[in-house]
Amino acid sequence: MFNDIHASAATAARPKDSLGCLSSQLRQDLELDTGEFKFYRKCTLGSDTSPVTMDGSGRGFLIGVSLQTGHRRRIYSQHRWVTHEFERDCVYVRDFADDYRAELLGGFDFVLIELSRNFVSDACHERGGSGLARIATVAGRKDPVLGHLAQVLALTLNAQSEASPLFIEQLGVTIGTHLLDRYGEASRRSNRNNRGLSALQEARAKEMLLARSQGNVSIEEIASACNLSRSYFIQAFRETTQRTPHQWLLERRIDQARELLKHSNHSLSEIGMACGFSDQSHFTRTFSQLVGMPPGHWRREACR
């Protein structure tokens, strides 16, 4: 009995991260905080069992997406323990307002997204609802859409210095929108959800996107200038242009790069920097993805 008490006290004394995991058991522990969104990558060192206990708080909602198969989790809910199996692309959703008790059984590799309560409340208002966030608590449910987004997010977390703030913000909004669509309480949708931007809004949004050569303008700034919420602005921009703001901006940068490649003697590095890319590698990679060939090859073909 004494040993059990001693072990429990030792476990409680060991440092834990902001999600209740023992920091000493994490092989990979990455975090990116954008304000209304926090993104995490948590991967364990081994297959030890560890407890997670957290009191309720006003932090918002947490979505965990498993990047691998083999994790199990016992969660205390409705006065009983229930074991959930996590394959790849399986998710859990937590409301931080609720007390949380769980036992993590075996190793895991998770991408996690924390959404602020303000973001969820604003998104509910935009959809014509009451603004009261009601999201189903789930565990071990397969969600291929979140699985795909988690893979993108994992790559982004591993290379944070190369990630565009605009892209990261859009990724958070996309995940939050999917969360409400899939797990949120059904609510009355506003009729304007099927409308795109007005001509004035479209012109203003594109002007603001192009005004920042490095693409650091935020969705919040543009949406505010258009008198829209972020989530609705992204939907309306896509409806109008068939592109997300980030995709549209990348295409404009590549258009500018092609003009410079064809009509100037600047080096690839100089052109990449002039068009808002962080370095030549980033420029070459993006150009190849969108055009189908590297910029140097394209320049030789275009200047024949």
Side-chain angles (χ1 to χ4, degrees), residues 79-129:
H79 306 293
R80 62 193 181 99
W81 290 93
V82 179
T83 300
H84 303 273
E85 304 282 342
F86 283 84
E87 300 178 357
R88 179 170 173 164
D89 296 345
C90 282
V91 306
Y92 71 84
V93 180
R94 278 176 53 190
D95 185 340
F96 277 116
D98 301 327
D99 294 341
Y100 188 73
R101 292 174 60 193
E103 290 183 357
L104 312 186
L105 309 173
F108 61 82
D109 188 356
F110 273 86
V111 164
L112 305 109
I113 307 96
E114 181 176 342
L115 305 177
S116 72
R117 202 163 292 278
N118 282 341
F119 168 79
V120 175
S121 178
D122 289 346
C124 289
H125 269 302
E126 183 62 43
R127 290 156 174 256

Side-chain angles (χ1 to χ4, degrees), residues 155-175:
L155 294 173
T156 303
L157 286 169
N158 287 335
Q160 295 183 29
S161 61
E162 298 180 13
S164 160
L166 182 64
F167 174 73
I168 293 170
E169 189 173 14
Q170 283 182 194
L171 191 55
V173 172
T174 300
I175 291 170

Side-chain angles (χ1 to χ4, degrees), residues 36-55:
E36 288 192 306
F37 312 111
K38 289 183 180 179
F39 305 110
Y40 308 88
R41 174 80 180 274
K42 304 285 184 179
C43 182
T44 53
L45 288 164
S47 58
D48 294 340
T49 297
S50 61
V52 173
T53 302
M54 292 184 68
D55 294 333

Side-chain angles (χ1 to χ4, degrees), residues 22 30 116 197 210 212 216 232 287 298:
L22 290 172
L30 303 174
S116 72
L197 299 173
L210 292 173
R212 304 284 184 89
N216 292 328
Y232 178 68
F287 191 99
W298 188 90

Side-chain angles (χ1 to χ4, degrees), residues 137-184:
T137 299
V138 300
R141 181 178 298 183
K142 199 86 167 177
D143 190 325
V145 173
L146 279 180
H148 175 73
L149 292 171
Q151 294 291 334
V152 175
L153 186 50
L155 294 173
T156 303
L157 286 169
N158 287 335
Q160 295 183 29
S161 61
E162 298 180 13
S164 160
L166 182 64
F167 174 73
I168 293 170
E169 189 173 14
Q170 283 182 194
L171 191 55
V173 172
T174 300
I175 291 170
T177 300
H178 176 77
L179 179 74
L180 290 171
D181 286 342
R182 183 78 184 270
Y183 306 108

Side-chain angles (χ1 to χ4, degrees), residues 24 34 71 85 88 105 127 177 190 199-200 216 241 248 255 279 283 287 291 301 303:
S24 60
T34 69
H71 178 62
E85 304 282 342
R88 179 170 173 164
L105 309 173
R127 290 156 174 256
T177 300
S190 169
L200 185 60
N216 292 328
T241 67
W248 183 88
D255 288 343
D279 52 40
F283 169 51
F287 191 99
V291 179
E301 293 288 326
C303 295

